[in-house]
Amino acid sequence: MSAHPADSHDVIRVEGARENNLRDVALTLPKRRLTVFTGVSGSGKSSLVFGTIAAESQRMINETYSAFVQGFMPSVNRPDVDVLEGLTPAIVVGQEQMAANARSTVGTVTDALTMLRTLFSRAGEPYVGPPTAFSFNVPTRRASGVMTTEKADGRVSKDVVRDVVYLGGMCPQCEGRGTVSDLDLSVILDETRSLADGAILVPGYTADGWMVAAFKAVVPPDVPIRDLTPAQRDELLHAEPRKVKVDKVNVTFEGLLPKIRKSMFAKDPDSLQPHVRTFVERAATVGECPECGGTRLNEAARSAQVHGRTLPEVCALQISDAAAWVRALDLPALAPLLDALRDLLDSFVEIGLGYLSLDRPSGSLSGGEAQRVRMIRHLGSALTDVTYVFDEPTVGLHPHDIDRMNTLLLRLRDKGNTVLVVEHKPETILIADHVVDLGPRAGVHGGEIRFEGSVDELRGADTLTGRHLGHRARLKSADAVRASSSVIEVRGARRHNLQAVDVDVPLGVLCVVTGVAGSGKSSLVHGSIASREGTVVVDQSPIRGSRRSNPATYSGVLEPVRKAFAKANGVKPALFSANSEGACTTCNGNGMVEVELGFMETVSTLCEECGGRRFQASVLQLTLGGLSIADVLDLPVADALAFFSSGEAAVPAAATILRRLDDVGLGYLRLGQPLTSLSGGERQRLKLAVRMGEPGGVLVLDEPTTGLHLADVDHLLALLDRLVDDGRSVIVVEHHQAVMAHADWIIDLGPGAGHDGGRVVFEGTPADLVARAHTLTGRHLAAYVGG
């Protein structure tokens, strides 16, 4: 029987891909296979997989909708590529953290809560109402008056309704948030002082300053706050805006609390100056709602029970326990609903998230947890012949959990799907049917296909990935292990699932805190160590910034550079900012001019006035050491470090910052490269470089190997050694065995996740952990160092 022509389309063909740093990349990818893309951070993996293949697939699907519908969808520009053939619909499962919406929980984003609301509305005793009666996003409303209904032929019927109730489950006091916020007056006011003596402790409100002058005109300035009359105190704190005279000038007077709420507390904390942000964090208090106990639901919704449990009780259960509760229900009339709910909760357990609870705020999930939550939607999907694209699905996973993730990836492939994975972990690279290695290095030195083939062929390939695939870090010898100078005593830690943990965290050494996902590592470190004075924390929170932001602005190196340019040329520093007076007037310092064409793609073209250099021509004539400000922003970090370290262009403050960027392996990065074009690993290292410069003897790092190639991990370990040798204490939350093997001290939590974890199961040197090998971490580390 001859082959059918439809069966011949079994590859995805890419030719001439030039997105970001890709150099006319051409490759052929097999369909219905698992392909892993490797290469150092910044080599072009994401540009090829997400920026080219997935982006074009999603753009072409969007074009099948009407122009009206496309107007409501995100605009995706056509990637810079010559040929893309054989594409299938792409489903991208990325690492982005979920939006920190106060009303968003694990239950709402996965539809588990929708099913539970239906279950309680049908089977709950006593009967409360329809599913909306159990929704914390819907308030209970009452209405009276005339209800008008339009009918055919222009007829209108009017009905008088009295006290009609629309049931919702929202707690009226906290409005379904579960928490109530307030301001801590002790941080805002010193009750023992008068206004003249500086009673107002808010930044900028000096006793003799203009901000306090209006308060002095209304409230006695020489009376201590505690001695004011109730009326005077109310005026000071809560007065409505009105005009008052201060030194014969009319000014607006408003109570202190509403005034600072508008000027400070209503703004994004990241937009505030550091000292103001510190004040806001100290003064804002958030507590559990006393009315609903943090459950978000009103009294009626909290009263209904199914099989002895209320809805808030089920949502507070560990998901593995909630799954067992659902399996015990015997309700034939709701069998389809229970089957769907049971499968959904079992998927959480299968993917390694059984330790979460459905009432957990979605914004509190790590990037790896958020990615796995998104994966749950696809595990039971009936779709086949689609392309699933994953961005480091093993992020945040213990070696024990990576095996389960690999099984899920293979399941998706075996259903007839094409699976594309950007990954650094050798455990996932080894299960690939096809490997694409990009390089040879990062940034302008990358963007090429260095290898394409099987895993066995990769082992013998002369590429960074091939050489490091079998690389194993060695355990430190006994004489190389550093001794601690002192300890941080943690006693009775009970945050989240911690079970009254007592542990001494050594200082002056490299200490690694490890354990399976959900064992309590972050709860221990962030709850008992990170908040201590003198501690600098580098967590997994994403870098914020627009396409106007770049490494020069984010790291702060541009500030001393602008001042040096201004001093050398006798002009204002603002001229050397593309966001201020020196910006090109045609493109407003953007370098590109965007033309919106209604429902069609927005067209971006290089600014003809500045040629993409972002500055006015008169500014580009002003130089420092022979370079203009645009030339400086085009320099790689390593070249900029040499430029600002000596000679007439020496700027010590800039050189100090640039040296830290170079230390974390970002020497290839251009200073003016938009932050939006950086890979996940590059952003993590950029943040590390910035936070390293902050004063503090203890440095806490949360999974610093995220996004790092096998070769980059050695660079990171050398950096950690330098930090410890320079007198800092480094505490790392990490799963990577190379970091564990290199540690001076390991604290292992477990033995499992959720309520099965939260205990210290080992503390000691890596050599002792391998010798005993009685924990999951010990067994995996022993296998790793044993080769």
Side-chain angles (χ1 to χ4, degrees), residues 269-326:
D270 291 331
S271 69
L272 301 173
Q273 292 178 294
H275 70 289
V276 178
R277 183 167 64 244
T278 300
F279 165 77
V280 167
E281 290 169 351
R282 287 173 49 233
T285 60
V286 178
E288 184 181 89
C289 173
E291 177 72 21
C292 66
T295 64
R296 304 166 180 254
L297 296 170
N298 59 29
E299 186 177 358
R302 300 195 305 269
S303 66
Q305 291 190 354
V306 174
H307 205 282
R309 291 192 182 274
T310 64
L311 179 57
E313 288 172 347
V314 175
C315 290
L317 288 174
Q318 187 167 297
I319 289 177
S320 57
D321 294 337
W325 177 80
V326 172

Side-chain angles (χ1 to χ4, degrees), residues 481-490 503-513 525 528-530 532-536 696-700 720 723-732 744-747 763:
V481 174
R482 304 177 184 93
S484 65
S485 56
S486 59
V487 297
I488 295 176
E489 294 184 358
V490 178
V503 66
D504 291 335
V505 181
L507 297 178
V509 300
L510 174 58
C511 176
V512 173
V513 180
V525 172
S528 301
I529 299 172
R532 294 174 182 247
E533 190 175 349
T535 301
V536 177
V698 180
L699 186 63
V700 173
L720 298 181
L723 289 169
V724 176
D725 292 340
D726 288 342
R728 300 185 82 167
S729 302
V730 180
I731 301 170
V732 183
D744 299 304
W745 194 259
I746 286 183
I747 298 172
E763 49 183 321

